[in-house]
Amino acid sequence: MRTPPPLAGGAQGPDALQPLLTTALDALREGAAARGGPLPPGGPTTVAARLHEAATPLLPHHGTGARTALRTLVHATAQGAADPAEPLCAAHLHCPPLALAAAADLAASALNPSLDSWDQAPAASALEALLTTTLATEVHGRGDALITTGGTESNQLALLLARERATAHGRTPRILTGANAHHSLHRAAWLLGLPTPVTLPTPTGTLDPATLATALAAHTADDTDLLVTATAGTTDAGLIDPLTDIADLCATHGARLHVDAAYGGGLLFSDTHRAKLHGLDRADSVTLDLHKLGWQPAAAGILTVRDATDTHTLTHRADYLNADDDTEAGLPDLLGRSLRTTRRPDALKIAVTLKALGRTGLGALVDHVCDQAHHLADAITAHPHFDLYATPTISTVLFRPTHADDDHIAHIRRKLLTEGTAVLGRAQLEGRRWLKATLLNPHTTPDDLTTLLKLVEGTSPR
Ligand SMILES: *Cc1c(COP(=O)(O)O)cnc(C)c1O
């Protein structure tokens, strides 16, 4: 019998990994060079055809061996990537991961701790506990946090915790949210069997305290627990709801407050921008997403809670993972830290990043992308043929060519995608379509932004 392929872990693992890593890294380098831009030219049919040619047959009778498979598929994936490390790949909250975070993630994959029981993750679970306490303290000055797969799962958990609080008191939760909120909140309400959230109009882009005050008064009832969800960093425009006013209103009306800071949460690291999140500490729960302004490879989501007992509602028993006598004997009970069972140690890459860069290092990255957004906004304002939506609050810049209609805006975006020259997003705000540049690359320079505007100008009507 042939010897089975080498393993990633153990004392021998690194020696087996080393040559494979060389192959993978060479394929990444060569794939990126073959692409030659922020994404592959040609559009979906061309990209899929090239991928199929390289990848098929995907399940051959006899395998190709590790080196060939790794080289071929890593190269094809890199050549066909929309790579956020390229400054002109700036559509979404899709960040370029730091090399050190990706290296830590490789170590996590090699060790493969699973965070559903202590006997699968002795040190990783201790590191996760340290990280969650650190992050909760950073946000609330107290409390606890759970690691999630991202903003979507964090928002889902926030609604679940609110629902369980309400039902424990025999009441129904009633969610009040802005029209500017992330779509995942509505899905979470649907998934959890909650009444459809009351959606308040946000014509200025953020939740208006007077509108919220009226809605809170209108929905107050003995059998109802009110939950307000606010946003710190809207996905489309990067706007921040007035958190202090909202926290005051929630206190007055006895409403629970969840703040979705999936995008804006990273501002906490910056001395310059932290004040924009004033009031965030008063929220009962906060969604953070360090695969946005945190430069982590996905996934790196977090839900923080002010009151550490809030998470107890996730307590769950499975004899093989957290038998009562094991817990009583001192083995940490991890099953209540998530709704998932097998769970990756996403804490490792986050912890490595926090420790390596510190608050000032992360703050400098945040400051850079916010500065670049201002630079781009200034260039748009100074340009005779472009209109700017608003001065950026975080690092999103919305703009449109003055003489383009909505169809043309969509066409410009798709033309750049098909050419492979730039990845811009789109947003529908104030009844009009805008091009969206979400700047998350800490290496972006003013020259990159000049190039970006020239590309848009080259495809715009006059
Ligand atoms: C990105 C985003 C989410 C969703 O986060 P995922 O990590 O993609 O699940 C939720 N809320 C806001 C405001 C976001 O920007």
Side-chain angles (χ1 to χ4, degrees):
M1 197 187 105
R2 276 188 303 174
T3 48
L7 302 175
Q12 259 59 97
D15 293 336
L17 269 172
Q18 194 101 57
L20 295 174
L21 272 183
T22 302
T23 302
L25 296 179
D26 285 347
L28 280 178
R29 190 181 300 111
E30 286 157 24
R35 187 182 66 236
L39 83 164
T45 312
T46 306
V47 173
R50 195 187 307 115
L51 186 280
H52 285 192
E53 196 181 310
T56 50
L58 198 52
L59 181 57
H61 186 63
H62 292 295
T64 62
R67 295 281 187 103
T68 301
L70 202 50
R71 179 168 6 94
T72 311
L73 294 186
V74 172
H75 185 285
T77 306
Q79 184 177 4
D83 186 351
E86 291 281 343
L88 299 195
C89 183
H92 300 285
L93 287 160
H94 172 208
C95 81
L98 297 173
L100 72 99
D105 218 12
L106 174 73
S109 288
L111 290 167
N112 206 26
S114 181
L115 273 293
D116 46 331
S117 65
W118 186 85
D119 56 5
Q120 300 177 84
S125 60
L127 181 62
E128 180 176 280
L130 187 59
L131 176 70
T132 50
T133 308
T134 304
L135 290 173
T137 307
E138 187 71 9
V139 174
H140 304 278
R142 52 181 283 191
D144 194 7
L146 302 171
I147 307 282
T148 70
T149 52
T152 302
E153 188 188 343
S154 296
N155 286 341
Q156 230 169 57
L157 282 174
L159 264 52
L160 174 66
L161 300 186
R163 186 192 75 182
E164 293 306 292
R165 276 257 154 155
T167 47
H169 297 106
R171 296 196 284 262
T172 322
R174 168 60 79 182
I175 302 164
L176 305 181
T177 189
N180 62 352
H182 193 257
H183 62 84
S184 61
L185 280 161
H186 297 271
R187 273 190 150 184
W190 165 75
L191 177 69
L192 293 166
L194 296 171
T196 304
V198 176
T199 302
L200 307 173
T202 49
T204 61
T206 55
L207 204 48
D208 170 40
T211 306
L212 179 61
T214 309
L216 281 165
H219 289 91
T220 298
D222 287 344
D223 61 350
T224 303
D225 266 4
L226 298 170
L227 170 69
V228 173
T229 76
T231 309
T234 57
T235 310
D236 269 348
L239 301 174
I240 300 174
D241 285 337
L243 301 178
T244 307
D245 291 347
I246 293 171
D248 287 346
L249 284 168
C250 288
T252 306
H253 291 267
R256 194 179 158 90
L257 174 61
H258 171 65
V259 178
D260 179 355
Y263 179 12
L267 299 182
L268 282 173
F269 300 121
S270 158
D271 284 343
T272 314
H273 297 284
R274 191 183 174 107
K276 290 176 181 168
L277 298 180
H278 196 70
L280 184 70
D281 57 324
R282 295 168 62 191
D284 295 287
S285 56
V286 172
T287 289
L288 301 177
D289 226 346
L290 295 178
H291 56 236
K292 291 176 177 173
L293 281 183
W295 296 280
Q296 298 301 300
I302 291 129
L303 179 75
T304 65
V305 291
R306 241 174 76 75
D307 178 351
T309 66
D310 266 4
T311 61
H312 296 177
T313 187
L314 299 182
T315 300
H316 188 66
R317 289 276 157 215
D319 196 63
Y320 75 108
L321 292 172
N322 61 352
D324 286 336
D325 57 304
D326 272 351
T327 306
E328 277 155 26
L331 296 188
D333 173 2
L334 306 183
L335 203 52
R337 307 296 297 167
S338 177
L339 290 178
R340 289 176 279 154
T341 306
T342 299
R343 200 155 60 77
R344 277 177 63 78
D346 290 319
L348 179 57
K349 67 196 172 196
I350 301 172
V352 166
T353 305
L354 297 185
K355 192 165 180 65
L357 275 69
R359 202 176 275 117
T360 57
L362 278 162
L365 302 185
V366 170
D367 292 351
H368 181 88
V369 297
C370 293
D371 286 350
Q372 291 306 308
H374 276 279
H375 183 88
L376 178 59
D378 289 346
I380 289 163
T381 306
H383 196 287
H385 304 298
F386 286 138
D387 296 339
L388 178 70
Y389 171 74
T391 304
T393 304
I394 309 179
S395 66
T396 299
V397 182
L398 299 170
F399 66 107
R400 42 184 289 148
T402 308
H403 301 296
D405 59 20
D406 282 0
D407 284 347
H408 211 105
I409 301 278
H411 169 78
I412 291 170
R413 189 182 98 85
R414 283 193 295 268
K415 184 156 193 292
L416 296 172
L417 287 181
T418 309
E419 287 171 349
T421 48
V423 192
L424 283 173
R426 55 189 277 175
Q428 200 73 25
L429 286 160
E430 291 178 2
R432 298 213 289 172
R433 187 169 292 157
W434 301 83
L435 290 169
K436 173 169 81 168
T438 311
L439 302 182
L440 292 182
N441 188 327
H443 291 273
T444 297
T445 64
D447 281 351
D448 296 323
L449 302 173
T450 304
T451 307
L452 182 66
L453 288 185
K454 284 218 174 88
L455 284 168
V456 175
E457 195 177 7
T459 49
S460 304
R462 279 299 168 85

